[in-house]
Amino acid sequence: MILRKTSHTFFLVLLVTAVSAQNYKDSYMQGMQAIKFEKYDLAIEKFKESITLNPNYPDSWYYLGKTYDHLDNLEATIETYRNLEKVDPDYNIGIYYDIAKSYIQLDNLRAARIYIKRYLQKSPKTPKSEKLIHLAMNRLNYIDIGAELREEEPNTIDPTPIASLNSVSGDYMPQVNPIGNKLYFTSVRQGGFDFKDENSPELDFGEDLYVSVLTNGEWSTPELLPQPINSKANDFGSSFTGDGQTMVYVRCDENGAMGSCDLYITQLNGDKWSRPRNMGNVVNTKNWESQPTINTDGNRIIFTSIRPGGYGGSDLYMIEKNQLGLWGVPQNLGSIVNTPLSENSPFLAADGKTLYFSSTGHPGIGGADIFYTVFENGKWSTPKNLGKPINSKGNDTNFSISASGDAYLASSRLDEGNFDIFQAELPDELKPKPTVIVQGVVSNSEDAKPLSALVLIEDLNSGELIATNKSNTLTGEYLVVLPAGRDYSVSANADGFFFYSRSFELPTDTTYAEITNDIALEPIRKGTKVVLNNIFFEIGKAELKPISYVELNKAVTLMQNNKGMKIEVGGHTDSQGADAANLSLSQKRAQSVVEYLVLAGVGRDRLVAKGYGETVPIADNATKEGRATNRRTEFVIIAF
């Protein structure tokens, strides 16, 4: 009897063991099937069931941890993987990286450092593991420097949310214009070109573009940008040239597009925007292109992309216009800026050199932090974290700053599931280099009607053409941004009119300024008289300074385009010195201009040099400014 009972008991133990083994594997397979159909709650239930039946089955621990990680359940991810470590510490060394990543997100850098070091110690030193080792080294650097950043004192006051711009839905991607009186942003609020499907979050009605105007220190109620800019698709991430007449932005899921989200460009003609044009397959790919920033001159764009060949996650790329005026092939900004993780939301400041962007790869304080880098001597400087309180424990992105230093950003610091727009004060050492804004209206001198004119910005010393803009076809308004550290010629040209130029000398210590410079162009006809503002001579001499060549070359072009034009070149001086000497000097200076034009190909029979000395003043010779105005070179059309 005893022997039979023992045999019966042994048989039952074997049976229970076999059934348990079958059950925990069945539960595991059911969990894997649930993951396949994205039923994550069911997957968690089944993996836990499997672990209850067999706590030493590493596969169930591992995929339970992966499911928690996918759902961003940080504490559960850590607990699950640490239990797996006890069961089998060498099952998959990737768990140590994931534990460290979760600890970073929980702001426990001490524990994160332990596990990232453990990951590096266990990583095989093989060619196939090199990329992952780079990623782990990035995280170790993040942990060490991030700990120091957290200890630094705040460098400015806390950013403040802008109540008039924010809604219960997501509001982000602020872009302020150079003079700081317009703010464009993206919102998923209701009331735009609303679009929802079964996957849309409750308060997400699709991305649309809005604008707000600063009036008496307050931002106005946002206005929806019209069609054809906004559409039923997601439209977001607007960026404008300095004059506000060229816009680059993102549209997603458009029929015939290159990828899921592409870059589009549109022009303002009077008060109407042209139909947005996809920037095509030189710029866009079948992947995700997004978040562009265009420089004030309109000849450079930096944007975000997840195209193959980057450093990891999303990278920042740059395109520039070539000599034909076409956009060239995107160039990755390189490993100084891009990391094995993600870089996003670039913003090129008005100086054209300072780039602000957000990153999860560079050492920071929260999820995504804002950094800046400067392009000098052909390369980007090492990115610098903007510090607290610009950066917070949340995600801080989409930094934007006006030429005068008014800063804006999007942040999830108030609600980790939602972004709001904040205004911020940036310390002087983190601001871009100073610029001068020149703006005004181009008009016809005879009837004061606005003109559509070509506005050129050139380096006065080298003659380099820096940018080509246009005044608005309806209003004649123009705006150019001039970074400090160069001397510029700003000129306006329109068919049937004599060109206008003015020089701006901006040394490196120039401070921010706004200059109003209205331009009245003179019609080309007999008797028209214009002053050439950018012709300069050595003091007391008739030799032309080289910086005069930019202006004189414009005169050459004008005469080549108007073959029947004959010009008197008039030389004028101030009243300082003897009358006879001034008359002689003015004649010699006028003759120097004539000789330059002849050498450039203008027929001598079309030119007359005449010196007037001090006899025809146009300003008061009693003041320094007046005397400078009187020292001038005039062109008078004597035949046409």
Side-chain angles (χ1 to χ4, degrees):
M1 291 291 293
I2 295 175
L3 185 59
R4 287 182 63 188
K5 184 176 182 180
T6 302
S7 299
H8 182 67
T9 302
F10 179 68
F11 175 75
L12 288 175
V13 169
L14 288 176
L15 181 62
V16 169
T17 302
V19 170
S20 297
Q22 186 62 42
N23 286 345
Y24 82 75
K25 287 189 176 180
D26 285 346
S27 297
Y28 164 75
M29 293 305 297
Q30 290 167 12
M32 295 298 290
Q33 190 72 5
I35 287 178
K36 181 179 178 180
F37 291 99
E38 299 182 356
K39 297 180 178 180
Y40 299 112
D41 289 341
L42 178 60
I44 289 171
E45 177 187 332
K46 291 300 177 181
F47 290 137
K48 283 184 174 180
E49 186 178 281
S50 175
I51 288 167
T52 300
L53 293 169
N54 185 357
N56 294 315
Y57 188 54
D59 289 5
S60 293
W61 284 112
Y62 179 69
Y63 284 101
L64 177 62
K66 284 185 71 70
T67 306
Y68 281 134
D69 189 34
H70 177 78
L71 297 174
D72 287 328
N73 190 332
L74 305 177
E75 292 87 350
T77 300
I78 293 170
E79 181 183 3
T80 303
Y81 280 152
R82 291 188 68 176
N83 283 327
L84 173 57
E85 181 183 13
K86 294 173 185 176
V87 172
D88 186 350
D90 296 317
Y91 175 83
N92 187 319
I93 64 169
I95 68 171
Y96 300 110
Y97 179 88
D98 290 336
I99 292 173
K101 179 187 69 175
S102 297
Y103 273 130
I104 289 173
Q105 289 179 264
L106 291 170
D107 203 29
N108 187 342
L109 298 188
R110 184 186 297 273
R113 195 177 198 281
I114 292 171
Y115 277 92
I116 206 69
K117 291 285 287 185
R118 195 166 296 176
Y119 174 82
L120 286 167
Q121 289 165 1
K122 289 178 174 290
S123 293
K125 306 303 184 284
T126 64
K128 291 183 178 180
S129 65
E130 196 68 26
K131 188 174 182 179
L132 294 175
I133 290 174
H134 281 196
L135 186 60
M137 290 298 294
N138 173 276
R139 293 295 80 191
L140 183 60
N141 182 60
Y142 178 98
I143 291 164
D144 290 343
I145 299 180
E148 298 174 8
L149 289 170
R150 286 159 171 77
E151 296 300 318
E152 291 182 357
E153 293 296 319
N155 55 26
T156 185
I157 63 175
D158 287 342
T160 55
I162 306 175
S164 60
L165 302 185
N166 294 318
S167 67
V168 295
S169 299
D171 304 289
Y172 42 90
M173 296 185 187
Q175 292 268 329
V176 66
N177 67 343
I179 59 177
N181 64 357
K182 283 187 178 181
L183 191 71
Y184 298 87
F185 67 97
T186 301
S187 180
V188 295
R189 67 186 66 189
Q190 190 172 14
F193 289 75
D194 296 345
F195 175 78
K196 288 180 73 71
D197 58 28
E198 65 275 7
N199 298 317
S200 299
E202 180 182 359
L203 296 174
D204 188 334
F205 294 87
E207 291 173 305
D208 289 308
L209 295 166
Y210 291 80
V211 62
S212 177
V213 178
L214 187 66
T215 305
N216 298 322
E218 299 291 334
W219 288 105
S220 66
T221 300
E223 292 185 10
L224 183 71
L225 292 186
Q227 290 180 311
I229 294 174
N230 279 313
S231 68
K232 283 288 187 181
N234 282 319
D235 303 289
F236 63 93
S238 56
S239 180
F240 295 81
T241 51
D243 61 8
Q245 297 194 94
T246 299
M247 173 186 176
V248 181
Y249 72 111
V250 185
R251 176 171 289 176
C252 300
D253 302 319
E254 175 100 324
N255 289 334
M258 293 299 304
S260 59
C261 293
D262 286 358
L263 301 189
Y264 286 73
I265 192 165
T266 177
Q267 307 289 335
L268 182 64
N269 298 309
D271 58 356
K272 304 292 183 184
W273 287 99
S274 64
R275 180 164 295 281
R277 178 179 61 84
N278 189 299
M279 296 190 72
N281 61 0
V282 173
V283 175
N284 294 311
T285 68
K286 64 181 180 180
N287 299 285
W288 180 79
E289 275 73 46
S290 186
Q291 304 171 347
T293 177
I294 187 168
N295 68 344
T296 57
D297 298 333
N299 53 26
R300 177 177 296 161
I301 295 173
I302 295 177
F303 64 97
T304 308
S305 178
I306 59 171
R307 65 186 64 202
Y311 289 86
S314 56
D315 279 12
L316 300 184
Y317 290 80
M318 180 170 68
I319 55 174
E320 295 181 294
K321 283 185 177 178
N322 60 25
Q323 67 271 23
L324 301 177
L326 303 174
W327 292 104
V329 176
Q331 302 295 318
N332 190 292
L333 292 197
S335 60
I336 297 295
V337 174
N338 291 310
T339 69
L341 277 78
S342 288
E343 280 64 50
N344 291 288
S345 63
F347 176 79
L348 264 173
D351 66 356
K353 294 182 176 181
T354 305
L355 176 69
Y356 297 89
F357 66 98
S358 68
S359 173
T360 58
H362 292 286
I365 296 166
D369 275 26
I370 299 168
F371 298 79
Y372 85 100
T373 177
V374 180
F375 191 73
E376 290 183 315
N377 301 318
K379 63 180 182 179
W380 295 99
S381 64
T382 301
K384 180 176 176 60
N385 191 297
L386 295 192
K388 298 183 295 187
I390 300 294
N391 289 314
S392 68
K393 299 293 186 185
N395 288 305
D396 301 294
T397 66
N398 307 123
F399 186 86
S400 176
I401 188 168
S402 70
S404 62
D406 298 320
Y408 303 87
L409 70 147
S411 177
S412 66
R413 67 186 66 198
L414 299 181
D415 179 357
E416 66 178 16
N418 205 24
F419 280 93
D420 290 305
I421 296 172
F422 290 74
Q423 187 164 5
E425 290 190 13
L426 198 64
D428 288 343
E429 66 270 16
L430 301 180
K431 290 181 180 178
K433 297 183 184 300
T435 57
V436 170
I437 292 177
V438 180
Q439 59 185 326
V441 174
V442 182
S443 63
N444 185 328
S445 66
E446 292 191 341
D447 57 17
K449 289 183 179 180
L451 284 176
S452 175
L454 198 63
V455 179
L456 305 179
I457 307 170
E458 295 162 285
D459 186 297
L460 198 58
N461 293 295
S462 67
E464 175 193 357
L465 178 62
I466 299 169
T468 302
N469 295 339
K470 286 184 177 180
S471 60
N472 186 274
T473 56
L474 183 65
T475 66
E477 294 175 341
Y478 78 97
L479 184 148
V480 295
V481 181
L482 307 178
R486 291 176 105 168
D487 298 336
Y488 298 92
S489 166
V490 176
S491 63
N493 305 270
D495 290 342
F497 292 84
F498 211 103
F499 69 87
Y500 165 94
S501 295
R502 179 177 171 184
S503 62
F504 296 89
E505 297 180 6
L506 305 182
T508 54
D509 60 353
T510 298
T511 57
Y512 173 75
E514 295 178 18
I515 298 173
T516 299
N517 184 50
D518 292 332
I519 300 172
L521 294 182
E522 299 287 345
I524 295 176
R525 59 169 56 94
K526 183 178 179 180
T528 293
K529 179 189 294 185
V530 296
V531 176
L532 274 65
N533 294 307
N534 293 342
I535 294 182
F536 305 97
F537 297 91
E538 298 293 341
I539 297 175
K541 298 180 180 179
E543 286 79 19
L544 286 163
K545 286 186 175 182
I547 58 174
S548 305
Y549 301 161
V550 172
E551 186 93 334
L552 290 172
N553 290 338
K554 289 184 174 62
V556 171
T557 301
L558 179 72
M559 298 198 72
Q560 288 174 340
N561 292 338
N562 295 273
K563 300 296 186 181
M565 182 186 295
K566 187 174 182 180
I567 292 289
E568 176 193 279
V569 180
H572 299 263
T573 68
D574 59 31
S575 62
Q576 301 287 301
D579 294 356
N582 285 336
L583 187 61
S584 175
L585 179 61
S586 67
Q587 180 65 38
K588 290 177 181 178
R589 286 180 169 178
Q591 192 62 44
S592 291
V593 171
V594 167
E595 295 305 323
Y596 183 95
L597 298 177
V598 170
L599 285 173
V602 179
R604 190 179 293 275
D605 60 339
R606 300 174 61 196
L607 301 166
V608 175
K610 184 171 178 59
Y612 290 89
E614 61 189 74
T615 62
V616 191
I618 57 174
D620 186 357
N621 273 310
T623 67
K624 180 180 179 181
E625 292 77 13
R627 290 192 294 272
T629 301
N630 287 330
R631 296 190 298 269
R632 67 195 188 279
T633 300
E634 286 183 344
F635 274 27
V636 181
I637 302 177
I638 57 178
F640 185 65

